[in-house]
Amino acid sequence: MGGLEHATPGILLVLIGACVLLYRELSRGSKGYVHHIRRIAGVDAIEGAVGRCAEQGRSVVFTTALTDVGPVLFACLGVLHSIAKRVAQYKLKLQVPQYSPEAMALVEDTVREAYREVGRANAFDPESIRFLSSEQFAFASGYMGLMHREKAGAAFMFGVFAAEALVLAEAGQQVGARQVAASVSPEQVAFFICTCDYTLIGEELFGASAYMSREPVQVATLAAQDRFKLFFIALIIVGVFLATLRQWMPELGGYMPHLILLKDWSAFGW
Amino acid sequence: MVATQSGDTRARVIRFFTFLGGIYFFVYFVLPEPLVEELGMKAHHEQISNGFIVVGSMAIGLGLFNLVRTHGARCVFARPGWMNSLSLLLGLFVTVGVMSLQWIHSMKSSGEVQDVQMIGEFASKIGDDARGKSGIVDPSTGVVLREYASQKLGKIALHIAGDQEIVADVAHEVLRKDLASRIEDLRKDEWYLGTSSDLSALTLFTQKSNELASSYSVLMQAEASQATIQRLYNFLYDGLFNQLGSAMFALLGVYIAAAAYRAFRVRTLESALMMTAAVVVMLGQISFGKEIYEEMPAIRQWLLEVPNSAAFRAIRLGAGIAGLMLAIRMWLSIESTSFSSEKK
């Protein structure tokens, strides 16, 4: 099914529901309610990888690869912020090769901010945020070169990836870097599982930032998205039940949850 | 104190514009299509969307600046690897230069073609005007058109003569001969010579002019493809850039084998499951698989369509919902420190 250009009343209701849930969780967070976040081994490994770099005196590489400005990039920036703070504390070298010039400005701001927060603003090197190319494989070859020159001790690949994912991950493998990857691209997850030490799958990328920072706003968002997901899981279960029931009662056809959600405004007189 | 105030103002301005940009797209999405059309949003939506793309594309300058700053400094201070940086910068400037010259050249060619197309368009306009006045062609505009056509025909004839000395292959010769015969034909045209000024003669002249313009366009395109700057562009883009990209892509073949070797070593139950699934999918893909077991392609199809799709959908659903929540937070600028000077 292609994307919708305009929301149906059902989708509008869902969007309003999402806003209400987010508002509720943010209010609870502001009142001091602390949500429990389950342990994510991949995120715990990030700290270990940075610590290993400190022991070996090797640099840390973080890439958002093909991620453009959008929610995924902001989720990656949260993780980058936490990593950059640790890198600054341990006086390590951080390299953030860039594919998207738009994202680069935000990345630079995030890293600079992290260095400032730990009181090492002077140690921030703008050249560590390096634009490589906006061409997929030119970026991949630039990243490979960087990994081999720097002999990075840890590589973090967070964001949107395509065919270059395996090239990037193999480059890290070749120099013996500890690698943690997180991708919302399901097709690339398999490649990361094969080549990286830890892989965060799908929404874990969004959770990683909240897990690392424990910032109330981020934790509240995580809680809201979990509740929202529960709603969808319930919807799927109801849908499966009704679809099964429809085998015996065909007149139920119009009452499928997804059909109700997709009923457009014309059904309401518009 | 002053710095903090300016920082706060900056943060407020960014929040305001983020909200403004977001609310437009939100309203456009949630309103019913008939209402969007009624409000006139539909008519301008493409322009507004393009505007956002244009603003985004300005960031390319940032990338360029970063490249020049990083690699320029390395060259100037002769830091390790300065030769690589120099070759990158040379490559960058040569490519920009060649692409700019190629663009100027193609603009010039299309401008010349448009000038010739103008003869036919002018004649057609005169014909349309005449039809509105019971078929009487205005003699004064006819004189202007003849003068314009004569000037352009002379220019094309000169171009052909000059072109003959530069490009001398058979294909160009055929095009040149065709164009020369069309010029001669047009020069003998009754309306062009002024021996006939009725509407049917003008229509015939319009048709011949359009055919001439189309032949001229073909010749110019053929010439442009042979021009030195175009050849240089082809060498850089098709010859180097695309080939290097393909070479990088080809590395995937080797890397997939290396990654598969690591992943398929049966050490745990999960890796055993993964290897079994991969072997079944691979065997189902090739004709040999059917020889082993007839249902192999069907099992492969089931693996891809049922368990694999289910996992993909779960990942997409989770990531989609998380993205939606984060998007709402970004839109309403419910952020902690990004873009803001409010320090902890």
Side-chain angles (χ1 to χ4, degrees):
Chain A
M1 192 188 82
L4 290 167
E5 199 178 345
H6 294 282
T8 60
I11 289 174
L12 180 59
L13 277 176
V14 169
L15 279 176
I16 292 169
C19 291
V20 171
L21 258 177
L22 184 62
Y23 174 76
R24 179 177 169 264
E25 293 304 329
L26 284 169
S27 316
R28 287 176 78 190
S30 67
K31 283 172 194 158
Y33 183 85
V34 182
H35 291 278
H36 166 74
I37 307 179
R38 74 168 167 87
R39 196 174 157 267
I40 307 173
V43 184
D44 288 337
I46 292 175
E47 276 194 46
V50 177
R52 182 173 173 259
C53 286
E55 285 165 11
Q56 298 178 340
R58 289 163 80 177
S59 57
V60 174
V61 175
F62 185 101
T63 181
T64 52
L66 311 190
T67 319
D68 257 325
V69 178
V72 179
L73 180 73
F74 277 80
C76 298
L77 291 183
V79 180
L80 174 63
H81 187 261
S82 302
I83 292 174
K85 271 166 80 171
R86 282 171 179 79
V87 165
Q89 279 165 348
Y90 300 155
K91 299 182 181 170
L92 294 172
K93 190 176 173 187
L94 175 69
Q95 292 283 346
V96 194
Q98 287 296 300
Y99 166 87
S100 159
E102 295 160 52
M104 193 177 73
L106 298 175
V107 165
E108 193 173 329
D109 200 44
T110 305
V111 178
R112 183 179 277 122
E113 183 65 33
Y115 272 72
R116 200 178 285 152
E117 276 180 28
V118 294
R120 297 201 70 236
N122 290 340
F124 171 68
D125 176 15
E127 282 186 21
S128 62
I129 319 297
R130 192 178 297 179
F131 176 71
L132 294 181
S133 172
S134 292
E135 167 65 25
Q136 187 186 10
F137 284 104
F139 170 80
S141 60
Y143 181 90
M144 280 181 80
L146 181 85
M147 288 299 282
H148 283 277
R149 278 194 304 276
E150 295 286 335
K151 299 270 183 290
F156 303 107
M157 290 165 281
F158 279 67
V160 176
F161 292 85
E164 81 296 338
L166 190 57
V167 177
L168 307 187
E170 272 296 318
Q173 271 282 338
Q174 284 167 3
V175 297
R178 180 73 60 88
Q179 300 198 99
V180 180
S183 181
V184 289
S185 326
E187 296 84 0
Q188 306 308 324
V189 166
F191 291 125
F192 283 138
I193 288 172
C194 293
T195 44
C196 295
D197 298 287
Y198 291 93
T199 306
L200 306 180
I201 301 173
E203 69 199 273
E204 284 182 335
L205 188 155
F206 293 87
S209 175
Y211 185 87
M212 289 177 86
S213 67
R214 306 277 166 169
E215 215 176 72
V217 172
Q218 293 194 29
V219 176
T221 311
L222 193 62
Q225 81 193 35
D226 270 1
R227 274 145 186 73
F228 200 49
K229 200 167 70 181
L230 272 176
F231 163 73
F232 272 97
I233 291 170
L235 207 65
I236 289 167
I237 293 168
V238 172
V240 168
F241 176 73
L242 286 177
T244 312
L245 206 63
R246 194 171 58 168
Q247 293 296 313
W248 291 281
M249 300 166 73
E251 63 274 17
L252 271 176
Y255 296 99
M256 294 292 110
H258 70 286
L259 291 179
I260 295 168
L261 280 179
L262 294 177
K263 258 192 204 322
D264 67 13
W265 292 94
S266 60
F268 298 87
W270 278 90
Chain B
M1 185 68 184
V2 175
T4 310
Q5 276 175 356
S6 71
D8 285 346
T9 313
R10 179 175 169 247
R12 263 187 230 121
V13 169
I14 290 170
R15 278 175 192 161
F16 174 73
F17 280 105
T18 307
F19 181 75
L20 208 63
I23 194 116
Y24 168 75
F25 286 102
F26 182 77
V27 167
Y28 182 84
F29 180 66
V30 297
L31 288 183
E33 198 169 356
L35 190 61
V36 166
E37 274 172 21
E38 209 174 290
L39 292 171
M41 285 170 84
K42 191 105 181 167
H44 302 289
H45 183 66
E46 202 180 330
Q47 288 168 317
I48 293 170
S49 302
N50 287 344
F52 277 89
I53 294 168
V54 169
V55 172
S57 66
M58 284 177 187
I60 290 169
L62 279 177
L64 202 64
F65 174 72
N66 183 279
L67 272 179
V68 174
R69 184 181 66 181
T70 308
H71 295 278
R74 196 178 284 175
C75 290
V76 169
F77 299 112
R79 287 181 196 152
W82 68 271
M83 289 278 274
N84 298 335
S85 295
L86 185 66
S87 61
L88 184 136
L89 289 177
L90 277 176
L92 174 75
F93 289 121
V94 167
T95 311
V96 169
V98 168
M99 287 197 173
S100 306
L101 287 174
Q102 191 264 349
W103 180 74
I104 292 167
H105 186 262
S106 68
M107 289 301 283
K108 202 178 152 195
S109 294
S110 64
E112 282 177 28
V113 171
Q114 273 174 5
D115 281 352
V116 177
Q117 281 170 341
M118 193 77 87
I119 305 172
E121 283 170 19
F122 195 175
S124 168
K125 183 84 179 86
I126 294 173
D128 288 346
D129 287 348
R131 275 180 209 100
K133 294 173 188 169
S134 332
I136 300 160
V137 180
D138 181 8
S140 60
T141 48
V143 171
V144 176
L145 174 59
R146 280 185 196 106
E147 270 178 26
Y148 181 76
S150 160
Q151 195 190 338
K152 290 296 160 197
L153 291 181
K155 211 172 166 182
I156 300 172
L158 267 176
H159 182 93
I160 295 174
D163 179 55
Q164 216 156 8
E165 289 162 18
I166 304 164
V167 193
D169 60 28
V170 181
H172 276 77
E173 195 53 41
V174 172
L175 288 172
R176 274 195 294 268
K177 275 185 182 166
D178 174 57
L179 198 60
S181 73
R182 285 185 193 279
I183 293 172
E184 279 309 303
D185 192 26
L186 206 64
R187 276 177 173 160
K188 286 176 194 161
D189 182 84
E190 282 184 349
W191 197 88
Y192 178 75
L193 293 170
T195 51
S196 171
S197 57
D198 63 13
L199 197 56
S200 60
L202 179 64
T203 309
L204 194 62
F205 174 80
T206 309
Q207 193 187 331
K208 284 178 185 172
S209 304
N210 287 337
E211 283 168 6
L212 175 85
S214 140
S215 289
Y216 188 55
S217 168
V218 173
L219 179 72
M220 291 299 277
Q221 277 171 19
E223 270 181 25
S225 67
Q226 296 294 315
T228 312
I229 194 69
Q230 183 63 40
R231 286 182 178 192
L232 201 56
Y233 172 85
N234 290 346
F235 170 72
L236 286 173
Y237 193 77
D238 297 332
L240 281 177
F241 187 73
N242 281 347
Q243 304 311 316
L244 289 170
S246 303
M248 281 303 296
F249 190 67
L251 278 179
L252 276 179
V254 183
Y255 287 164
I256 284 176
Y261 171 72
R262 274 197 298 275
F264 296 160
R265 272 180 298 178
V266 183
R267 285 177 301 189
T268 57
L269 179 68
E270 287 90 345
S271 60
L273 268 174
M274 195 161 155
M275 198 207 68
T276 313
V279 167
V280 169
V281 169
M282 281 191 278
L283 286 175
Q285 186 75 30
I286 56 173
S287 50
F288 181 65
K290 213 170 175 180
E291 299 296 322
I292 298 170
Y293 181 51
E294 206 173 315
E295 291 300 313
M296 199 67 88
I299 297 172
R300 168 195 161 271
Q301 199 66 19
W302 180 84
L303 277 173
L304 290 177
E305 283 177 6
V306 183
N308 194 51
S309 291
F312 269 39
R313 283 174 192 170
I315 294 174
R316 288 211 171 98
L317 177 73
I321 289 170
L324 174 71
M325 286 296 176
L326 198 54
I328 294 171
R329 215 178 78 195
M330 277 165 63
W331 172 37
L332 302 174
S333 293
I334 311 169
E335 286 296 333
S336 47
T337 49
S338 297
F339 308 121
S340 168
S341 64
E342 295 159 18
K343 305 287 170 304
K344 286 176 180 174

